[in-house]
Amino acid sequence: KTIDKAQTITLALPAKNEIIPTTGEVRLLVSGGTIGAIKDSLFFLMQYPYGCSEQTTSTMISNIVLSKFLKQSGINVFGVKQETINANVSKALARLYTYQSDRGGWSLWGGNENVEPYLTSYVLTGMQQAREAGFTIDTNVLEKGRKYLRGQLDNGSIGQVDVQAQVLATLLSLSDTNL
């Protein structure tokens, strides 16, 4: 709930005999702006709890977006440091490099089985965003991924129209103009 400066609010808490000890908590967050309200969420976005290709890419993209926001807004969020964001992106890239299959695509947990064009497209889009944000990306990884997607598209392996559209958009973002 947002309140005005001079506004007073009253909180009704349960009576002591209605609370079962150690079963819950009451938290009150007072913030001078919306950043305070989302601070805990920022930390979650900076480091998802799992390490599959999809969540690693999502974590990387979240860190990139957060970095851009902090730079553009000039807001200093307590506990959020650019060095940490940069390290998170670098760590995500390193993990994704190891997950790339021999054919150039990505599966959820790496290896050569269950390699998916849609997931590969998502990973490459994340890497492209990282490159645009100033991170150094292994061009061999990008090229191998681009060739994998291009091959899947050319040989008709991608049947779903929405996945074809995503792959085309990714190839365009990677400057594949031979579409």
Side-chain angles (χ1 to χ4, degrees):
K1 178 178 179 179
T2 303
I3 60 171
D4 295 325
K5 288 181 191 177
Q7 185 179 357
T8 302
I9 62 168
T10 303
L11 299 174
L13 299 175
K16 188 175 182 178
N17 63 349
E18 294 176 6
I19 299 174
I20 301 171
T22 70
T23 61
E25 65 182 45
V26 175
R27 294 173 58 185
L28 174 64
L29 173 65
V30 179
S31 172
T34 56
I35 289 298
I38 65 168
K39 192 172 106 180
D40 288 343
S41 299
L42 292 178
F43 289 111
F44 179 76
L45 287 174
M46 287 174 63
Q47 191 63 48
Y48 282 0
Y50 308 108
C52 68
S53 295
E54 182 274 325
Q55 287 203 354
T56 299
T57 302
S58 295
T59 299
M60 181 175 68
I61 291 170
S62 296
N63 277 270
I64 293 165
V65 170
L66 177 60
S67 176
K68 287 179 187 177
F69 168 75
L70 294 175
K71 288 176 184 175
Q72 291 173 0
S73 69
I75 293 173
N76 185 11
V77 178
F78 178 76
V80 178
K81 296 181 177 156
Q82 188 62 47
E83 298 82 29
T84 303
I85 293 170
N86 292 347
N88 289 346
V89 173
S90 296
K91 185 173 136 184
L93 287 167
R95 176 180 286 144
L96 291 169
Y97 292 162
T98 66
Y99 282 180
Q100 189 173 33
S101 73
D102 294 340
R103 296 180 305 166
W106 275 266
S107 63
L108 282 177
W109 295 102
N112 293 312
E113 294 183 28
N114 302 312
V115 176
E116 292 289 332
Y118 185 81
L119 180 58
T120 299
S121 177
Y122 183 57
V123 169
L124 290 174
T125 297
M127 288 184 180
Q128 179 65 14
Q129 288 181 21
R131 180 164 64 177
E132 290 169 0
F135 291 89
T136 302
I137 307 298
D138 185 331
T139 54
N140 293 323
V141 170
L142 283 177
E143 182 59 17
K144 194 173 176 183
R146 187 197 65 75
K147 285 182 179 177
Y148 166 79
L149 285 181
R150 185 60 199 235
Q152 294 295 299
L153 196 61
D154 288 348
N155 71 20
S157 295
I158 306 171
Q160 296 172 276
V161 175
D162 59 333
V163 177
Q164 290 174 7
Q166 178 63 36
V167 167
L168 285 168
T170 300
L171 290 172
L172 284 171
S173 78
L174 295 171
S175 301
D176 188 336
T177 56
N178 297 316
L179 301 172

